[in-house]
Amino acid sequence: MAAPDAKAKTEAPAFRDFPTVPTILAGATENVRSYVANEKIQEAIGFPGKLADNWQETHDKAIGRFGELLEKYRSLKVYMDACVHCGSCTDKCHYFIGTNDPKNMPVARQELMRSVYRRYFTPAGKMFPSLVGARDLTKEVLDEWFTYYWQCSECRRCSVFCPYGIDTAEITMAGREILDYVGYGQKYSNEIIGKVHKIGNNLGLPGPALEDTLNGLEEDVKDDTGVDVRYPLDVQGAEVLLVTPSADFFAEPHIESLIGYGKVFHAAGISWTLSSKASEAGNFGMFIGNYDQLRKIAMRVREAALELGVKRIVVGECGHAWRVAYAFWNTLTGIGAGANDPFAVELQKQLDPNYKQPSHICEVTWDLIQQGRLKFDKSANDSRIITFHDSCNVARASRMGDYPGGQFDIPRNIIKAVANNYFEMAVDTTREKTFCCGGGGGLLTDELIDIRVKGALPRMEALKHVVDDHGVNFMATICAICKAQFTKVLPYYGFNMRLVGGVHQLVSTAIKLGNEQ
Amino acid sequence: MTTFFAILFYVAAAVFVLGLAFKILDFARTPAPLSIPTTPAPTTRSGVAFRMFREVVFFESLFKGNLWIWIFAAAFHFGLALVVVRHLRYFIEPVWFWVAFAQPFGMYAGFAMVAGLGGLWARRFLVERIRYISTPSDHLMLALLLLIGLTGLGMKFLMHTDIVAVKAFFLGLLRFDIQPLPEHPGLYVHLLLVAALMIIFPFSKLLHAPGIFFSPSRNQADNPRETRHLASWAAKLEKN
């Protein structure tokens, strides 16, 4: 199987007159493959460097690991058994819609593993493999797993429409875990995990560089506003520890939101700090479905919080990081309630009893707005006509505020509090039915640009409608991956790459810092 | 034939009950180490019970997903439920009032069930995406259910069998006192297929029935801020 030719020209698919039923084009993306991690990358994070020379050994290891995962994860076990092939999910995946490759239909993606599950773990598959669609695990099957489990962004859209709630993300994670376990990792994600351990963040930005960047930022904001807004690093005894995706430190438009967080804390008079140890909110351990990595990466945040003595932990604009923080941190590290290991107990004592759990930066900002502690000049955003893209991990895997669905309302409330022109995209493409940007779940890498562009199709179609109907020129979002992905793919669809930005970028533009008049 | 069917139904009932019990215990004892409800999700257990109720009774997610499948699936499942209720009269004496009340509805439900199955099967041929994901066992399962429904309707409307004797046979089975089963080819086929369905159930995709109750994305409350979800195997990691 040849690697995709990096020079081959990727083109955006045509906008559809919807609703159209996607047709099938077998094998359409079978050659769009992630780069395989080399030995150095694999071994740095405790995985075998490469596949065993002897296939039988790899085969046995993979099946063994599959069996272990079936014992460890009820999700995997139930999802392997419960699917009836009803077809409800078949037209819900953005990668299928954009590529027409039938193996990108959620049920077909699951079937890549389910067929092997049946063969090795069910009586029917052991006795009548062809009748029930069971097959042996071969090198070709493993290659297919690698290809198609790295064409899933773990966005969970399919799980919304499944009558049994089968979440392909859980199966993709298990597939990737087995691949890593036999020495068949993805370069992009595993390299990043190595960097987060070695340097502290996904982008490999060392402490001193981070400090320079933040100092530069303070100067820029001073020039721009005349106010000394601070962007502090490793400040002992600060009230808030902000953990944010490292892209916020230098990538456009991410940095505009980081500027916004600082202005919010400044205007509200809250002391805060970033941490060089936990200078990354992202947790690619989730993408590869590896519990140990997920936990180790999350543990850095607990350590940083303990060292800095902060009272509250706040997470910046990052989709999967918010899922990990909201839904997993308590389980993984005891940031929250109920853990009883000494460090977790100490942290719980240290944290403000009102904020034992991590908060999203949008929750912080919205609370402050409701308390009347922030003032805005909404007209400063008048040149913008805004829409909001719900990021999948925020929308379908976490929450904000104290009621289900708060994750949809709070960012929109903030936008409406800081700007005058706001329009929704089509309802079947927002909130819990939102479409992935096309680059999530560990796919934000150049060699996958073909499916990244094609997978963005449904979102681009919905965007096109509000651009045409309302003149929308700003799509706000609260995810670093969404921002990076859209910046890259918007031009393929004829949009300006600057059309995407953060919610706190809008906050930053409109917020009054107390020096007005 | 009476002896054959008596043994068959004892075996089928044993496989069905034990097989299902094994799978349910297996689902129940497998830990769910992380909080993964598909959000927005209810924050309380009673909210989850209500979500599950809507899912099991109204197929809420399927309704959001695909209206055609929902219509056929609802016709089949509601039809089947009423037909099963109608068949309870073969196993109880005296017949409960609500089972007696449901008799006429159960009759029409048989048609709804068959129509629903026909629709679901047609999709497996007509819709390209569904054709792609269908396995031979998917077709056989539909054929099995459809034949059960058709033979049942056949005995009701075309060639009657002695249902008093059928009832005596099943009541006898329950008391371990075997009574003669009427000689009727339609009945033989009907009962043979029902027994086959019972035997296949714990080994097939029919496990979606118990499975939904154990699906973490649906049965978990969205409460990670209040509750720590910790699997026993994950708790061991905290020791080091």
Side-chain angles (χ1 to χ4, degrees), chain A residues 94-95 252-254 389 436-440 443-445 448-457 460 475 479-493 497 500:
Chain A
H94 51 289
Y95 291 120
E252 279 289 346
H254 308 62
H389 162 78
C436 172
C437 61
L443 307 192
L444 194 72
T445 175
L448 296 180
I449 190 65
D450 190 63
I451 59 152
R452 283 172 54 193
V453 168
K454 289 171 178 162
L457 176 69
M460 292 296 108
M475 179 165 63
C479 172
I481 289 177
C482 293
K483 292 172 193 168
Q485 156 77 355
F486 284 134
T487 302
K488 180 97 179 179
V489 304
L490 279 165
Y492 284 88
Y493 288 91
M497 64 184 268
V500 66

Side-chain angles (χ1 to χ4, degrees), chain A residues 42 104 182 187 253 257 261 290 315 341 378 424 448 477 486:
Chain A
Q42 285 286 97
N104 281 324
V182 299
K187 175 175 183 279
S257 283
Y261 317 149
N290 183 281
V315 179
D341 72 289
K378 290 172 79 166
E424 283 287 346
L448 296 180
T477 186
F486 284 134

Side-chain angles (χ1 to χ4, degrees), chain B residues 53-106:
Chain B
F53 173 81
R54 297 195 313 268
E55 206 63 89
V56 171
V57 178
F58 300 120
F59 310 160
E60 184 181 33
S61 296
L62 183 58
F63 184 78
K64 287 183 211 164
N66 189 304
L67 200 55
W68 279 110
I69 308 179
W70 184 86
I71 289 169
F72 295 135
F76 161 58
H77 284 90
F78 285 116
L80 178 64
L82 274 170
V83 166
V84 167
V85 166
R86 184 173 146 88
H87 280 67
L88 281 179
R89 67 185 168 147
Y90 291 105
F91 302 89
I92 46 176
E93 184 58 44
V95 174
W96 303 326
F97 81 92
W98 58 272
V99 174
F101 176 77
Q103 293 303 312
F105 303 106

